[in-house]
Amino acid sequence: MNIGTKFICKEDFLSLEKDAAYYFLRRVSNSIVLVRFTEQVADILRIDSRTFEQGQNSGVLEIAEQQHFMPPWLESLTAAQIDLSTIDQRRPATAQITYKERVDFRLRAITPLNEKANEILNSPDLKKLIASYAKSCVPGQNQQRLRTWFLVYHLFGNNPWSLIPPFHLAGKWDRLASERVSTGAEAPFGARLKSGRSATRYRVTPHMIEKIIDSFQKNGKKGKSIREIYRTTLRTHFKVEVRVDQSGSRYFHSADESPYPTLNQYQYWVNKRIGKRNVQRGIYGDMELRAHKDPSKGKSTENLRNAFELMECDATLTNQYPRGVTGNHSMPKLCVTRGVCALSTGLIGIGFGFEDEDAWSYSSMLFCAAIPKPLFGRLFGIDISHDEWPAAGLPPKILFDRGPGSKKIFIDGLQTEIPFRQMAPAYSGQSKPNVENSHPKESNLEGPPSHLVSNLTTIEMVQQIIIEAVGKNQTTNIQDRLTPEEIMKGIRTPNEHLNHLIACGRTDAQGMSFADAVRKFLPKTETTIRHDGIYWNGARYRSDELAENAIFRRYAGKRTSSLIQAYFLPACTRYIWVELGGKLMEISSILPHLGKEDQLSISSLELELVYQHKLKGARSLEDHVDATRVHYDGKSIDLFGKAPSTRVVPGRQNPTEEAQAESKQLRKFFQ
């Protein structure tokens, strides 16, 4: 249960209302602090912790299946995986105030409150404290707005973009809702038609919509445009006749004075109810779409109380060299970075890099820590359940070592996600004992210089390290660091301790959406978008979602190519993530023909190696082709005594009598 976890109240319970949504903010002493949003206004509720647990155990309070990392009014933006930091780029140039300026204004308004965040959030008089501050502002501030901004900011990961105003909801009300129907309900929406014929404008009603859908299903045929279908519909379903005005221009008129739709109304509701894609398929057919419109992610614990309160991380090289995919040669050692919860000693993040390039391993470790572990396991082809590895979220404090990967520029870049960052003193393993103890112990080899080469490839070694990490979380004895109460509850391992702390609300983990984790922590690369997929280092990537993307279909239809940015996991390149139209999309690699699927799961280093072999082979093939052609041309000369050649003879071929006689003799040999 992370900060911001959404609960649904299944029935009236104390002051909680049935079917209402509540968000977990924190545990203060013996009470649970919840937040409820009512029409974009946040309010605080406090419940005794035991009563809260009883509600959970009885099923009255249930964790929502769909969790979000933004307030309810921004859920549609997060569901679309839109990068809010780039939202101003999609606004018209005429916009006078940017979203960033509005966010900065709100953030400045609550900055004095943020400086005393712990004192305010732990206080039973939170509303009064914020109200008092609002009155002291010059000019005065609305206390409800300040309270909402303050709670939203701390509830959803200290993310400034959670303060963005919900202007995207403007005009999204339901035109057909019964409460919208009032006096003048028959008056049409929108501006008058340029033709000036007000009689041809009608408000669309539910009955008209049903007729529109029925008419399309009956009149829609392959090869007919939407305009042609509309014309037929006016005659068959709406009884529209054609009249002539004084100027001789023809116009539509309803024979029985009943309303009928315009072409735009007709097309809008057909696409809305049936789906634009299905409409295109019905009109053009699958083959036409495919041919022209479709394309072919003391105790070090004495001052700690919660899980994820502090994460220690460190990088180490494997003692073995992995075997190469393309032969028995050895590949560079893996750099493995582990992130460990300082209280439970449970591994909450693991990342991989190659030898000195361990900055990759630090960023991919944070990526692993931020996302649910079943999803992380899927990226490496490993089945991991939530109970096997329950850790998901980023801590507010992190302790790095002083390796080359944890450079200051990298650490300072985490200011938004992890407010408190610290580097351990040089050569001081005691400063981060938990992560140091998590590294596997290795023996030094005596005798002449030698090295160890594993029988596992790079990706197989990565998978083995992940499997061992999951097992270690379930087998390490941590009873020496447990309280008597925890021991009496049967807790023995890091996994059991993490599950216990999370269930009690003793966690400081900040959730993050998968799309944000990809954008913030995975390295970027350049890929090529072509008509049949996206190419990177010679590998082709596709997905069903990519095939439906309008931008990709545009490139597919024009048979053009272009460079686009993508995100990738250095340790496994089976999946990469591209951003088209501000939306993050996962695509997977595809083999050119049926073969072993494990060939898709290789590291970025090996993928580049295979690509270089491919380019080298293509270059050597050019000389081979020329030499081979010369070789067989010589054989022809030796056989015929001359080089084969052709000549151009004007006119049609007209066999002579001699040629006909020779053809007749030759046919006898083939009968």
Side-chain angles (χ1 to χ4, degrees):
M1 184 171 63
N2 295 339
I3 295 172
T5 298
K6 181 180 179 181
F7 286 87
I8 302 297
C9 187
K10 294 299 182 180
E11 57 185 64
D12 291 339
F13 180 69
L14 299 178
S15 60
L16 307 184
E17 298 179 8
K18 182 180 179 181
D19 296 331
Y22 298 89
Y23 295 81
F24 171 75
L25 179 60
R26 62 170 45 200
R27 181 186 179 119
V28 179
S29 186
N30 292 322
S31 64
I32 299 295
V33 183
L34 300 177
V35 176
R36 182 183 179 183
F37 295 105
T38 306
E39 295 184 354
Q40 301 179 20
V41 175
D43 207 354
I44 286 285
L45 298 94
R46 298 178 185 272
I47 298 180
D48 179 76
S49 59
R50 291 189 178 182
T51 306
F52 180 79
E53 292 172 5
Q54 290 173 1
Q56 281 188 286
N57 296 333
S58 64
V60 175
L61 287 174
E62 187 176 290
I63 296 179
E65 292 184 4
Q66 189 68 33
Q67 294 291 325
H68 296 279
F69 304 97
M70 284 288 183
W73 50 87
L74 297 180
E75 287 179 0
S76 60
L77 294 181
T78 55
Q81 298 184 341
I82 294 176
D83 184 0
L84 297 181
S85 63
T86 65
I87 194 169
D88 282 317
Q89 298 175 9
R90 290 185 288 275
R91 299 186 71 202
T94 56
Q96 297 182 357
I97 303 178
T98 66
Y99 277 112
K100 187 177 186 308
E101 289 172 341
R102 296 184 186 275
V103 168
D104 289 343
F105 170 79
R106 297 182 175 193
L107 192 58
R108 286 194 302 271
I110 63 173
T111 295
L113 298 175
N114 289 337
E115 293 173 353
K116 300 179 180 180
N118 284 331
E119 175 187 343
I120 295 174
L121 292 172
N122 291 333
S123 172
D125 297 325
L126 182 146
K127 289 185 179 180
K128 292 182 179 179
L129 291 175
I130 296 179
S132 175
Y133 167 73
K135 292 179 182 178
S136 67
C137 293
V138 179
Q141 295 290 330
N142 183 288
Q143 56 180 290
Q144 275 192 349
R145 282 199 294 265
L146 282 181
R147 183 174 71 242
T148 300
W149 296 345
F150 176 74
L151 291 176
V152 163
Y153 181 73
H154 289 277
L155 196 63
F156 299 104
N158 296 345
N159 184 358
W161 290 103
S162 62
L163 302 176
I164 192 172
F167 294 154
H168 63 287
L169 299 178
K172 298 297 180 65
W173 50 274
D174 187 1
R175 293 172 180 263
L176 301 177
S178 58
E179 61 269 18
R180 295 286 180 179
V181 179
S182 58
T183 304
E186 295 301 323
F189 292 112
R192 292 183 176 275
L193 296 178
K194 294 181 179 179
S195 64
R197 299 187 185 278
S198 59
T200 61
R201 294 171 61 247
Y202 297 96
R203 178 177 296 188
V204 176
T205 63
H207 176 66
M208 187 187 295
I209 294 173
E210 295 304 320
K211 291 176 70 174
I212 288 173
I213 302 306
D214 180 66
S215 69
F216 181 82
Q217 292 172 342
K218 291 181 179 179
N219 298 330
K221 295 180 181 179
K222 291 181 180 179
K224 294 184 67 175
S225 67
I226 192 71
R227 186 178 290 273
E228 291 174 320
I229 298 171
Y230 169 72
R231 293 169 184 165
T232 304
T233 294
L234 292 182
R235 175 174 49 82
T236 61
H237 284 70
F238 292 95
K239 310 303 179 185
V240 171
E241 61 185 17
V242 178
R243 292 186 177 182
V244 182
D245 61 15
Q246 296 178 352
S247 65
S249 298
R250 293 182 176 88
Y251 64 94
F252 292 124
H253 181 80
S254 176
D256 55 2
E257 300 298 331
S258 61
Y260 62 91
T262 64
L263 175 61
N264 288 341
Q265 289 172 331
Y266 187 85
Q267 187 170 5
Y268 172 81
W269 285 105
V270 166
N271 289 338
K272 186 177 182 66
R273 290 295 176 88
I274 299 179
K276 186 174 181 178
R277 178 68 176 166
N278 292 329
V279 171
Q280 289 180 336
R281 180 178 287 110
I283 294 176
Y284 303 116
D286 290 330
M287 295 302 294
E288 180 75 8
L289 286 179
R290 182 175 180 180
H292 299 289
K293 295 184 178 297
D294 281 352
S296 49
K297 221 68 89 140
K299 294 286 187 183
S300 60
T301 59
E302 287 180 356
N303 296 321
L304 300 175
R305 174 175 175 78
N306 294 338
F308 291 85
E309 187 173 343
L310 171 66
M311 180 172 72
E312 300 174 4
C313 61
D314 191 19
T316 183
L317 293 176
T318 57
N319 68 329
Q320 300 178 6
Y321 292 86
R323 177 180 62 84
V325 170
T326 58
N328 290 323
H329 60 278
S330 60
M331 295 294 291
K333 285 184 177 181
L334 280 174
C335 174
V336 185
T337 298
R338 295 172 174 86
V340 172
C341 171
L343 180 60
S344 67
T345 71
L347 185 73
I348 56 180
I350 189 167
F352 304 91
F354 306 101
E355 289 191 343
D356 294 335
E357 298 177 3
D358 54 351
W360 280 355
S361 67
Y362 274 91
S363 58
S364 58
M365 181 273 293
L366 293 173
F367 171 77
C368 170
I371 66 175
K373 298 309 178 284
L375 178 54
F376 178 76
R378 179 183 67 83
L379 301 179
F380 290 91
I382 305 173
D383 187 17
I384 302 174
S385 69
H386 179 75
D387 291 333
E388 286 180 298
W389 199 356
L394 291 176
K397 300 179 183 178
I398 187 168
L399 182 63
F400 288 94
D401 73 337
R402 289 184 174 268
S406 57
K407 296 179 181 178
K408 188 175 186 300
I409 188 172
F410 172 74
I411 296 177
D412 290 344
L414 299 174
Q415 183 174 2
T416 303
E417 291 74 34
I418 304 174
F420 301 95
R421 305 160 312 285
Q422 183 180 358
M423 295 186 74
Y427 307 105
S428 177
Q430 295 87 346
S431 298
K432 41 183 178 27
N434 300 298
V435 69
E436 291 286 348
N437 289 333
S438 71
H439 296 320
K441 303 301 182 286
E442 301 169 359
S443 300
N444 294 326
L445 297 177
E446 300 291 340
S450 60
H451 64 279
L452 301 176
V453 179
S454 173
N455 68 333
L456 301 178
T457 63
T458 300
I459 184 60
E460 289 171 342
M461 187 176 287
V462 167
Q463 292 170 328
Q464 180 63 25
I465 292 172
I466 295 174
I467 292 172
E468 290 173 353
V470 175
K472 190 172 182 179
N473 268 7
Q474 302 176 48
T475 56
T476 303
N477 186 348
I478 62 166
Q479 295 183 86
D480 287 345
R481 59 176 59 230
L482 300 177
T483 64
E485 180 183 3
E486 291 171 337
I487 293 175
M488 293 304 294
K489 289 184 177 180
I491 299 173
R492 302 159 299 173
T493 65
N495 223 36
E496 294 171 348
H497 198 200
L498 275 174
N499 277 318
H500 166 71
L501 295 173
I502 293 172
C504 293
R506 290 172 54 187
T507 174
D508 289 342
Q510 295 282 359
M512 177 179 287
S513 69
F514 179 81
D516 284 344
V518 169
R519 291 185 179 109
K520 294 179 185 299
F521 299 127
L522 295 190
K524 289 184 179 181
T525 186
E526 272 194 344
T527 60
T528 304
I529 179 172
R530 298 179 184 170
H531 72 281
D532 59 343
I534 289 178
Y535 286 77
W536 180 47
N537 277 349
R540 183 165 66 98
Y541 291 80
R542 279 181 65 98
S543 72
D544 293 340
E545 185 180 9
L546 178 69
E548 297 294 329
N549 184 270
I551 298 177
F552 181 55
R553 291 203 303 270
R554 192 185 314 137
Y555 281 100
K558 295 180 179 179
R559 295 299 193 265
T560 58
S561 63
S562 180
L563 296 178
I564 61 171
Q565 294 288 331
Y567 303 85
F568 70 101
L569 264 174
C572 185
T573 59
R574 181 161 192 164
Y575 303 94
I576 62 175
W577 296 265
V578 296
E579 202 155 17
L580 292 176
K583 183 177 181 181
L584 193 69
M585 207 174 298
E586 180 181 286
I587 54 178
S588 57
S589 58
I590 303 173
L591 290 174
H593 58 79
L594 293 178
K596 294 181 179 179
E597 289 291 320
D598 57 0
Q599 297 179 78
L600 299 173
S601 299
I602 61 176
S603 67
S604 59
L605 205 62
E606 290 166 316
L607 181 64
E608 186 176 356
L609 181 63
V610 172
Y611 186 50
Q612 293 301 324
H613 271 268
K614 178 181 178 180
L615 296 179
K616 182 179 178 180
R619 287 191 292 267
S620 64
L621 181 61
E622 294 176 359
D623 292 336
H624 171 75
V625 169
D626 292 336
T628 302
R629 293 297 298 271
V630 171
H631 171 73
Y632 284 104
D633 286 345
K635 279 186 173 292
S636 298
I637 294 173
D638 293 339
L639 181 61
F640 306 125
K642 58 184 176 181
S645 64
T646 57
R647 60 190 177 90
V648 178
V649 178
R652 295 179 178 270
Q653 193 270 348
N654 188 15
T656 62
E657 292 182 359
E658 183 181 359
Q660 292 177 358
E662 185 176 345
S663 297
K664 184 176 180 180
Q665 291 298 325
L666 286 174
R667 279 196 294 269
K668 293 180 180 180
F669 291 99
F670 297 100
Q671 290 180 349

